Amino acid sequence: MKILCVGISVQDRIFSVDSLPKEEGKFFARNFKEQGGGPAATAAVACARLGINTDMIARVGDDVTGEGIIAELKSEGVNVEKMRVIKNAISTQASILVDKKGNRIIVSYPSPSLDIDASFMDAIDFSQYDIVLADVRWHEGALKAFELAKKAGVPTVLDADTTPQPIDALVKLSSHAVFSKPGLIKFTECLDINKALKIAEDKTDGRVYVTLGDDGYSYIENGIIKHKNGFKVKVVDTTGAGDVFHGAFACALCLGYEIEPALKFAAATAALKCTKAGGRSGIPTINEVKEFCFRN
């Protein structure tokens, strides 16, 4: 079994604060942690942590930050041989404020110096993968990966979050479009989540889902909207929870799970992640997820 994750890889600098700022001023953190982030990259770490052979394709600069991003992914067991290192480019970075309840503010710098070209993927044999997952932050990369995956007959999972670019082409190509709530609202221009899911379903031959944070997730099954509540855990940090959900969902599909148990598996993995600080620190092993699902 093998999964390919395509998208952005970021260096996160996480500041733990008592409460999120509501006005300008000087604030002091209780704790600081530096860790890799980015939707597809964190999903890749989740896949590797869950025991799946995982390749990552992302772009980084030839700076110290880029070296650190690649080194951390490699240390997590992610295959980084297909990562692109762009000369004289700055790697993407983010600063994250997290309060005592696990709520967060993210300020990201999507580096404009990273070459967007994805034509190099034409040389990759996509038939070797069981699932291809992509985020929407590197549009050209996701589009190329999904086109090649479709040609090879490989199912795809889209992390359909908010992005400045239209994602219609990516949603249309995806086998499984898993939206965040803001991503679904922006894509459909509809505030009613159930209606928005129906609108999204009409724009793809694949299946559509939406993650709703503490409220769980909803999806369409045989034309019927189904909703499941999220797991109740002591939340420390929600950073990366959606990314982990996507990675775990892809893993479950790769392992042969049907849709409903695959979603439960993904929700459990994301919930366990939230019990520890950082976007990746709390990602559990597959045995921990299975035990948690059995108890819940």
Side-chain angles (χ1 to χ4, degrees):
M1 293 174 291
K2 196 172 185 180
I3 289 176
L4 171 65
C5 295
V6 179
I8 64 166
S9 195
V10 181
Q11 190 71 4
D12 286 343
R13 292 174 177 84
I14 305 162
F15 300 84
S16 300
V17 295
D18 291 331
S19 60
L20 298 178
K22 295 180 175 58
E23 57 187 21
E24 65 173 312
K26 185 178 288 185
F27 305 92
F28 296 91
R30 292 182 288 102
N31 195 16
F32 171 78
K33 185 168 192 159
E34 194 164 342
Q35 192 173 71
T42 298
V45 172
C47 293
R49 193 81 60 88
L50 292 167
I52 303 295
N53 187 4
T54 306
D55 286 359
M56 179 72 208
I57 298 179
R59 303 155 301 147
V60 297
D62 60 346
D63 51 8
V64 174
T65 300
E67 291 176 3
I69 288 171
I70 291 177
E72 183 182 339
L73 287 170
K74 189 174 182 180
S75 72
E76 289 283 2
V78 176
N79 179 10
V80 296
E81 291 178 0
K82 297 178 178 66
M83 292 281 287
R84 290 199 71 204
V85 179
I86 311 299
K87 287 187 177 182
N88 302 316
I90 298 172
S91 298
T92 295
Q93 304 173 54
S95 290
I96 304 171
L97 303 182
V98 183
D99 69 12
K100 287 183 176 180
K101 295 181 180 179
N103 299 313
R104 70 199 192 282
I105 292 175
I106 301 175
V107 180
S108 180
Y109 176 68
S111 175
S113 58
L114 296 175
D115 184 7
I116 64 173
D117 178 58
S119 60
F120 68 93
M121 290 189 205
D122 287 322
I124 298 172
D125 177 13
F126 272 68
S127 67
Q128 67 184 290
Y129 300 111
D130 296 284
I131 296 281
V132 173
L133 177 152
D135 65 39
V136 295
R137 305 295 171 78
W138 176 25
H139 186 88
E140 294 78 9
L143 190 60
K144 173 63 75 172
F146 277 14
E147 288 172 345
L148 292 171
K150 185 174 183 178
K151 187 176 180 180
V154 176
T156 52
V157 174
L158 178 67
D159 180 346
D161 202 358
T162 57
T163 184
Q165 292 176 295
I167 62 171
D168 298 68
L170 296 176
V171 173
K172 184 175 178 60
L173 277 171
S174 63
S175 307
H176 305 272
V178 187
F179 290 87
S180 65
K181 183 178 178 179
L184 181 63
I185 291 171
K186 181 176 181 181
F187 178 68
T188 62
E189 298 182 338
C190 178
L191 293 174
D192 184 306
I193 294 303
N194 289 345
K195 290 180 180 179
L197 272 175
K198 289 286 190 177
I199 293 170
E201 185 184 42
D202 289 339
K203 297 186 177 185
T204 178
D205 293 329
R207 303 188 61 154
V208 294
Y209 319 76
V210 59
T211 57
L212 301 167
D214 290 345
D215 294 327
Y217 54 90
S218 295
Y219 62 105
I220 298 179
E221 180 79 42
N222 296 322
I224 299 172
I225 293 176
K226 293 189 175 183
H227 175 78
K228 298 293 182 180
N229 293 324
F231 291 98
K232 300 301 180 184
V233 295
K234 185 177 179 180
V235 175
V236 174
D237 183 3
T238 60
T239 303
D243 310 333
V244 171
F245 185 102
H246 290 91
F249 180 61
C251 284
L253 294 177
C254 193
L255 292 167
Y257 284 44
E258 296 296 329
I259 295 299
E260 192 164 322
L263 289 166
K264 180 180 179 181
F265 181 89
T269 309
L272 286 171
K273 185 246 80 70
C274 291
T275 61
K276 294 183 181 179
R280 297 177 181 175
S281 302
I283 300 175
T285 64
I286 191 167
N287 289 333
E288 289 172 330
V289 177
K290 288 180 177 179
E291 182 182 348
F292 180 80
C293 288
F294 178 78
R295 289 188 281 107
N296 293 274

